[in-house]
Amino acid sequence: MPNTVEIPVSALENDAAYRAAVIDLLGLLAYGELEAFERLAADSALAPTIDDMGALAGHAAAEQRHYELLRSRIVELGADPSAAMAPFVAPINEFHARTVPSDWLERLVKAVVGDGIGADFYREISRFVDADTRAIINQVMSDTGHSDYAMAKVRAAVQADPAVAGRLALWARRLLGEAVTQAQHVIAERESLDALFMPNATTALAASAASAAATASAPAASAATLDLAEIKNVIERLTDNHYQRMFALGLAKTSERA
Amino acid sequence: MPNTVEIPVSALENDAAYRAAVIDLLGLLAYGELEAFERLAADSALAPTIDDMGALAGHAAAEQRHYELLRSRIVELGADPSAAMAPFVAPINEFHARTVPSDWLERLVKAVVGDGIGADFYREISRFVDADTRAIINQVMSDTGHSDYAMAKVRAAVQADPAVAGRLALWARRLLGEAVTQAQHVIAERESLDALFMPNATTALAASAASAAATASAPAASAATLDLAEIKNVIERLTDNHYQRMFALGLAKTSERA
């Protein structure tokens, strides 16, 4: 993981563009968590046993707590949570509409892939925010226990019937593709997030980042600019992590990309 | 509310029939809470605004916590939670299958009526259990805030369009009828619960109740027997409470039965 940019917490008060970007980011994460709650609750309702039903209800409730945390933080920053979430309803719903699982195993794979990409995204974005915002993101990233649960179930199913692996591997690839597509839409449509990912793109954010870099260690200064090379690196890391998860699920022969 | 029977906590250890009855009861309540979670989560997914979606997710998560509490208690008593819940899956699912709301308002009315009947049932049953079991039931009865939320939404809708009141009143009556039908099935099929409601029906429970009554105040002794007159009283109370809720919802002109 590359260096972290130390944006001062005071930027939330002094820097309107940075503040707007953080509220946008929190809105995106909040709606993402709320949707994760809905998805896990729906999985719970369709679970094959009462045990699974109860376990998934617990995972859903953990996502609801993450949502609540993000929502409270948006209120704390003086913004309206519904307004902050609104721009992200369409792309997140679109992702789910384009990736409706056709059975229980596809649901589990979607949970593992979706949670994984989400956690990777949180980890990347947390490099470009102030310490207070990073603390919230880290709390929200804390495991709900769901990935381990879903991963164990998928692995067991693949071992019991290796024939399902091909179909599930294709499904996972489609999920990754749709997630990247919707992420591109979000970044293209929300200039503030764009600014967060590329701090040099706006004067205000550049000023924040520069003043922060001045007090941080030298390597952080270059990390502040998420330029094209850096974006390529981010995508590389996300993809590498995805292939590692595929291997862990028993859906790929190696953890390297084909 | 009539008197409470003081069954000693030690009956959980000394009295196999009483213990089985309590595990059955906890299984019933646990599955009921899990189903309440599922229902509220489904309501959340269909909510008309992001605000409502978030509020309902919170109410669902509160039910999940109640479920978790009951589940832990079943484990604490050395029983298997899934096995304890299993006998109640069919009647509770049957209730929900027979009462599928056709729109958002019917969903809200179902939540108010269902929660209300549930709370009434918890209050009645808590008279016939030991103090430890009663403490769990009281915690689970603690409000999720959902009834107030749903009641306010229904009241506002009826005020805005009084024409919906007739349809919703009929719907509420059907919900009460279906709940009573399924409750009768449960009591008829689960002898242990029958024993809990009518302690004199089994020797073991009668012994527990009698030894408890000896140390309790005089009126408690007669309350120990949930005889036919008492069952009539319970049904009266449930129905009276239902009509009071109908009045509060704006679905009845008075809080008295027609």
Side-chain angles (χ1 to χ4, degrees):
Chain A
M1 180 58 62
N3 290 311
T4 292
V5 184
E6 276 311 328
I7 292 184
V9 171
S10 60
L12 284 170
E13 284 188 13
N14 307 334
D15 184 333
Y18 176 72
R19 180 196 173 76
V22 166
I23 289 168
D24 248 24
L25 175 65
L26 295 173
L28 167 62
L29 301 186
Y31 192 71
E33 291 292 331
L34 192 51
E35 262 299 320
F37 162 84
E38 304 293 351
R39 189 196 63 209
L40 289 172
D43 288 353
S44 168
L46 293 168
T49 69
I50 307 182
D51 256 358
D52 289 314
M53 189 178 173
L56 286 158
H59 301 157
E63 305 286 9
Q64 189 276 333
R65 284 192 294 276
H66 292 166
Y67 160 74
E68 204 51 53
L69 199 67
L70 291 159
R71 187 186 187 284
S72 302
R73 179 60 177 168
I74 295 170
V75 171
E76 214 173 83
L77 292 176
D80 175 52
S82 295
M85 287 186 265
F88 309 106
V89 171
I92 291 179
N93 287 358
E94 183 70 14
F95 170 73
H96 289 296
R98 283 170 175 276
T99 56
V100 177
S102 68
D103 64 12
W104 178 243
L105 277 178
E106 288 193 2
R107 283 184 171 265
L108 293 175
V109 170
K110 181 171 172 177
V112 174
V113 171
D115 280 7
I117 296 173
D120 288 344
F121 173 74
Y122 286 7
R123 213 173 289 120
E124 295 288 344
I125 200 80
S126 72
R127 294 160 48 213
F128 301 99
V129 295
D130 62 279
D132 282 8
T133 305
R134 189 176 305 124
I136 296 276
I137 293 177
N138 287 341
Q139 257 187 288
V140 171
M141 264 178 62
S142 77
D143 200 17
T144 64
H146 185 61
S147 280
D148 289 347
Y149 163 91
M151 208 173 253
K153 297 269 171 186
V154 172
R155 219 162 25 213
V158 171
Q159 272 167 6
D161 177 13
V164 299
R167 171 171 68 89
L168 293 180
L170 280 178
W171 169 243
R173 194 173 301 172
R174 200 174 123 210
L175 290 168
L176 179 67
E178 289 291 348
V180 169
T181 302
Q182 295 307 323
Q184 283 167 338
H185 285 175
V186 166
I187 291 176
E189 281 164 31
R190 298 302 294 179
E191 280 177 19
S192 71
L193 283 181
D194 197 49
L196 199 61
F197 266 117
M198 301 197 215
N200 284 347
T202 68
T203 321
L205 284 168
S208 297
S211 78
T215 60
S217 61
S222 64
T225 311
L226 187 63
D227 55 16
L228 284 178
E230 177 63 13
I231 287 178
K232 191 166 156 282
N233 289 338
V234 168
I235 293 175
E236 289 268 326
R237 282 194 294 273
L238 291 177
T239 315
D240 285 348
N241 291 342
H242 177 76
Y243 279 92
Q244 273 165 29
R245 282 190 292 272
M246 289 304 94
F247 180 63
L249 282 171
L251 298 183
K253 291 211 169 54
T254 73
S255 62
E256 304 295 313
R257 255 180 285 181
Chain B
M1 183 57 62
N3 291 309
T4 293
V5 184
E6 278 310 328
I7 292 184
V9 172
S10 60
L12 284 170
E13 285 188 12
N14 306 335
D15 185 333
Y18 176 73
R19 180 195 172 76
V22 165
I23 288 168
D24 249 24
L25 175 65
L26 294 172
L28 168 63
L29 301 186
Y31 192 71
E33 291 292 330
L34 192 51
E35 262 298 320
F37 162 83
E38 305 292 351
R39 190 195 61 211
L40 289 173
D43 288 353
S44 168
L46 293 168
T49 70
I50 307 181
D51 256 357
D52 288 314
M53 190 177 172
L56 286 158
H59 301 156
E63 305 286 9
Q64 190 276 335
R65 284 193 293 277
H66 293 165
Y67 160 75
E68 204 51 54
L69 199 68
L70 290 159
R71 188 187 187 284
S72 301
R73 179 61 177 168
I74 295 169
V75 170
E76 212 173 84
L77 292 175
D80 174 52
S82 295
M85 287 186 266
F88 308 107
V89 171
I92 290 179
N93 287 357
E94 183 70 14
F95 170 72
H96 289 297
R98 283 171 175 274
T99 57
V100 177
S102 66
D103 64 13
W104 178 244
L105 277 179
E106 287 193 4
R107 283 187 171 264
L108 294 175
V109 169
K110 181 169 172 178
V112 174
V113 171
D115 281 7
I117 296 172
D120 287 345
F121 173 74
Y122 286 7
R123 212 172 290 119
E124 294 288 344
I125 200 81
S126 72
R127 293 159 50 211
F128 301 100
V129 294
D130 62 280
D132 283 7
T133 304
R134 190 176 304 123
I136 297 277
I137 292 177
N138 286 341
Q139 257 187 287
V140 171
M141 264 178 62
S142 78
D143 199 18
T144 64
H146 185 62
S147 279
D148 288 348
Y149 163 91
M151 208 172 254
K153 297 270 172 185
V154 173
R155 219 162 25 212
V158 171
Q159 272 168 6
D161 177 13
V164 300
R167 170 171 70 90
L168 294 179
L170 280 178
W171 170 243
R173 194 173 301 172
R174 200 174 120 209
L175 290 167
L176 178 67
E178 289 291 348
V180 169
T181 302
Q182 295 307 324
Q184 282 168 338
H185 285 175
V186 166
I187 291 177
E189 281 164 32
R190 298 302 294 178
E191 279 177 19
S192 71
L193 283 180
D194 196 50
L196 199 61
F197 266 118
M198 302 198 214
N200 284 349
T202 66
T203 321
L205 284 168
S208 298
S211 79
T215 61
S217 61
S222 65
T225 312
L226 187 63
D227 55 17
L228 284 179
E230 178 61 15
I231 288 179
K232 192 167 157 281
N233 289 338
V234 169
I235 293 175
E236 289 267 325
R237 281 195 294 275
L238 291 176
T239 315
D240 285 348
N241 291 343
H242 178 76
Y243 279 92
Q244 274 165 29
R245 282 190 291 272
M246 291 303 94
F247 180 63
L249 283 171
L251 300 182
K253 291 214 168 53
T254 73
S255 62
E256 304 295 314
R257 256 180 283 181

